[in-house]
Amino acid sequence: MKNILIIAKKELKTYFTNPIGYVFAILLLVVSIWIFFANFFINNQSSLSSLWEMVIFLFSLFIPAISMTSIADEKKYGTWELLLTLPLSETELVLGKFLGLLFYVVTVLLLYIPITITLLFIGKPDIGILLGGFLSTIFLSASYIACGVFASSLTSQSVVAFLISLVFLLLNNFFGQEFFLSRLPLFLKNIFSYLSLSWHANQFSWGIVSLIDVVFFLSWTIIFLILTILSLKSRNK
Amino acid sequence: MLKLTKICKSFSNTQVLKDISFEIPKNKIVGLLGPNGAGKTTIMRIITGFLTANQGTLRWKRKIIDPRDPSFRSLIGYLPESNPLYMSFTPVEYLSFVARLKGISKTNLVKEVKKVSQQTDIASVLTKKIETLSKGFKQRVALSATLLGDPQLLVLDEATSGLDPKQILEVRKLIKKLAKDKSILFSTHILPEAKAICDQILIINQGRIVLDSDIKKVRNLEKKFIQLTQ
Ligand SMILES: Nc1ncnc2c1ncn2[C@@H]1O[C@H](COP(=O)(O)OP(=O)(O)OP(=O)(O)O)[C@@H](O)[C@H]1O
Ligand SMILES: [Mg+2]
């Protein structure tokens, strides 16, 4: 556990000393505020759900971008050889990387608190939807990060890692869209929507926190973290 | 101290190490020589647990060990060939990070970092960004990280490559000094270097050991090397 935190701390430090960390955080905030208020005045709705739909989409760009270097750079600069010959296991390394990224994303999410407070003042948002939205974003981020870290473990080129996770997450997002799902036969529709992270996240953001969705996000995250560990271990081949 | 017995290693279908057996005695420096691609780095990676052998055993003080075992790893200091460092860190940050992973407690951290930075003479650059340091300093920062936690076995992969003549001499002097209470496996391409600091030399060619001898018994190392690695 101690080792995991040491790695997580190191990751956090890298994101906050790296200008990319700030640029992404601010860009994300500006874009989502802009999109949100554009919607807000048109619909005059004090609901966060349009913001959350946007967040789901923006995060599928943002998270591949910040997680792309997590393991790829360690491979590129040879530091993984150092790390994996210290008294540190692959599992600890991967969990440390994952937690570092998750802390970072949660910090970025804290930037949304002003928007939320504004909403509380000018409208009467449904607190359930508000909390569901935050909760779903954290679960969704965890699942996205696990994919990003896995993609990053497949290569020593961070740009390649970015493209792999971006394409994967965008496709996955697409599979959860109603205009796609409505064209499918029922049994395929069920499968695709079940496997789509954004579909589960949308359920969430209506304020319905169901155990099935939570279990889905958690198992998704765990599966991708296990794949990452296996990918690191496959260096012997 | 550390004994390898019949270590074999293959990548997909090519065998790169065949029946590697040798011993690193206590407080001795063993030089690992061989042409490019002979398998030196691979041997070191197996000893340090980065790679796993397909066959063969490793013994530490006569007991069979698994190099992935954290308790064995904390006895080893490894300097990989590529000299990995975090360029955006300062040496203090880097050394503290490695020290924490080596299990050095927060209370001993400052003392330990100070100790190794004195040994490698990097005290003057401790708070500069690593990316701004000269190659020699970078190398010494990487070397100091391997000394953290006072390991009993040092595995140094081309520790002097890329250094200027004066720095080479300094690093050699340091390694000799370290051997007073450590066993050292040291790979190099420079034959006179092996002669200057090693107690024992191993020549490896195409994944096999072709010479394992006390350095004093080798007459003409250059000639022998060329003969054995043809
Ligand atoms: N991960 C790997 N996959 C496939 N082949 C590998 C791998 N690592 C090493 N090899 C092969 O194993 C052989 C030994 O490589 P190694 O790096 O151990 O040589 P070396 O003696 O350290 O060479 P150098 O003096 O150039 O550092 C080489 O032929 C190399 O191509
Ligand atoms: Mg090598």
Side-chain angles (χ1 to χ4, degrees):
Chain A
M1 190 63 203
K2 209 182 81 204
N3 282 347
I4 299 176
L5 292 180
I6 296 171
I7 298 287
K9 229 173 96 186
K10 181 216 128 201
E11 287 305 291
L12 262 184
K13 196 169 119 196
T14 335
Y15 296 124
F16 284 115
T17 50
N18 184 343
I20 293 180
Y22 287 106
V23 170
F24 276 122
I26 291 166
L27 206 69
L28 188 73
L29 191 69
V30 169
V31 172
S32 45
I33 290 178
W34 175 47
I35 291 168
F36 170 69
F37 279 103
N39 275 322
F40 182 82
F41 289 115
I42 294 165
N43 304 333
N44 202 16
Q45 248 177 22
S46 60
S47 148
L48 276 177
S49 50
S50 59
L51 176 60
W52 291 131
E53 271 170 35
M54 216 49 230
V55 163
I56 291 170
F57 174 70
L58 286 177
F59 270 44
S60 52
L61 299 172
F62 170 63
I63 289 183
I66 54 158
S67 56
M68 65 183 185
T69 54
S70 63
I71 294 180
D73 269 10
E74 304 272 4
K75 284 188 162 182
K76 185 170 168 193
Y77 298 111
T79 41
W80 71 318
E81 186 167 352
L82 176 97
L83 292 176
L84 293 174
T85 53
L86 289 172
L88 172 78
S89 67
E90 285 87 356
T91 310
E92 288 169 323
L93 177 61
V94 169
L95 288 179
K97 293 270 169 187
F98 169 76
L99 281 183
L101 278 160
L102 191 61
F103 288 153
Y104 170 74
V105 170
V106 169
T107 318
V108 172
L109 280 178
L110 294 181
L111 296 173
Y112 283 87
I113 285 180
I115 305 189
T116 319
I117 292 175
T118 315
L119 270 174
L120 285 173
F121 274 107
I122 53 180
K124 286 194 188 64
D126 186 326
I127 301 289
I129 292 181
L130 217 68
L131 285 177
F134 266 117
L135 210 64
S136 77
T137 315
I138 290 173
F139 276 109
L140 183 77
S141 305
S143 313
Y144 280 10
I145 291 169
C147 285
V149 173
F150 173 60
S152 184
S153 77
L154 296 175
T155 166
S156 57
Q157 300 297 318
S158 49
V159 178
V160 176
F162 172 71
L163 290 176
I164 296 174
S165 50
L166 179 70
V167 169
F168 181 75
L169 290 179
L170 287 180
L171 273 179
N172 187 277
N173 200 324
F174 178 76
F175 290 154
Q177 301 299 324
E178 208 42 53
F179 65 84
F180 170 73
L181 291 173
S182 59
R183 287 178 170 76
L184 293 177
L186 188 65
F187 83 102
L188 273 183
K189 181 178 167 172
N190 286 341
I191 293 175
F192 273 103
S193 60
Y194 183 76
L195 288 177
S196 169
L197 289 166
S198 60
W199 187 83
H200 285 273
N202 273 329
Q203 303 302 104
F204 244 150
S205 62
W206 293 107
I208 317 159
V209 178
S210 89
L211 190 63
I212 296 178
D213 295 326
V214 173
V215 169
F216 178 81
F217 283 118
L218 289 180
S219 3
W220 176 286
T221 306
I222 292 168
I223 288 170
F224 275 91
L225 291 179
I226 291 175
L227 287 176
T228 313
I229 294 166
L230 292 178
S231 145
L232 281 180
K233 287 189 171 172
S234 74
R235 64 181 180 272
N236 258 304
K237 293 291 170 311
Chain B
M1 207 61 167
L2 182 77
K3 193 170 177 194
L4 281 73
T5 317
K6 298 205 164 197
I7 296 285
C8 298
K9 176 72 190 170
S10 308
F11 291 108
S12 23
N13 283 323
T14 36
Q15 193 168 27
V16 297
L17 293 181
K18 295 156 204 136
D19 287 336
I20 298 286
S21 304
F22 67 91
E23 197 173 344
I24 308 171
K26 196 172 177 191
N27 304 347
K28 293 273 188 257
I29 305 179
V30 176
L32 191 53
L33 306 177
N36 288 125
K40 303 179 291 295
T41 299
T42 308
I43 291 179
M44 292 182 153
R45 285 178 168 166
I46 288 171
I47 292 174
T48 54
F50 184 68
L51 297 176
T52 326
N54 301 107
Q55 271 174 53
T57 51
L58 281 107
R59 283 189 180 78
W60 176 255
K61 293 179 176 160
R62 299 221 177 81
K63 272 219 305 274
I64 292 192
I65 47 109
D66 179 350
R68 283 169 300 181
D69 184 350
S71 61
F72 173 68
R73 284 182 168 189
S74 50
L75 301 171
I76 299 190
Y78 177 36
L79 179 66
E81 191 172 25
S82 56
N83 255 316
L85 291 165
Y86 293 110
M87 294 297 163
S88 63
F89 282 31
T90 64
V92 180
E93 290 168 337
Y94 177 70
L95 292 174
S96 310
F97 169 68
V98 175
R100 295 287 288 141
L101 285 176
K102 284 193 173 184
I104 293 165
S105 68
K106 272 192 172 139
T107 44
N108 290 329
L109 198 72
V110 177
K111 211 173 73 196
E112 189 68 24
V113 169
K114 202 170 157 196
K115 194 181 98 190
V116 297
S117 48
Q118 275 165 357
Q119 278 177 309
T120 55
D121 203 12
I122 55 166
S124 61
V125 298
L126 276 180
T127 54
K128 294 192 177 142
K129 271 213 167 153
I130 292 178
E131 63 191 349
T132 67
L133 302 180
S134 71
K135 186 156 184 173
F137 269 118
K138 280 186 188 138
Q139 185 97 349
R140 280 190 278 166
V141 173
L143 186 62
S144 21
T146 69
L147 302 180
L148 289 164
D150 202 16
Q152 297 180 34
L153 173 68
L154 291 182
V155 178
L156 309 176
D157 204 350
E158 298 185 25
T160 58
S161 82
L163 298 184
D164 69 36
K166 187 168 156 262
Q167 305 235 348
I168 289 184
L169 289 181
E170 270 168 23
V171 171
R172 282 186 199 165
K173 213 166 79 194
L174 173 66
I175 290 171
K176 279 220 110 148
K177 207 163 97 196
L178 290 169
K180 283 198 183 109
D181 63 348
K182 295 182 199 312
S183 309
I184 300 177
L185 180 65
F186 177 86
S187 83
T188 179
H189 283 291
I190 313 168
L191 299 181
E193 176 160 275
K195 253 195 253 170
I197 63 168
C198 299
D199 300 296
Q200 202 173 336
I201 55 155
L202 293 167
I203 297 181
I204 164 164
N205 188 36
Q206 294 180 359
R208 285 178 199 279
I209 291 188
V210 289
L211 182 79
D212 180 352
S213 163
D214 190 321
I215 188 78
K216 292 190 206 93
K217 292 189 185 138
V218 185
R219 279 288 153 79
N220 188 339
L221 183 59
E222 281 77 8
K223 203 170 137 202
K224 199 135 209 176
F225 183 88
I226 290 173
Q227 262 173 15
L228 289 169
T229 58
Q230 262 166 10

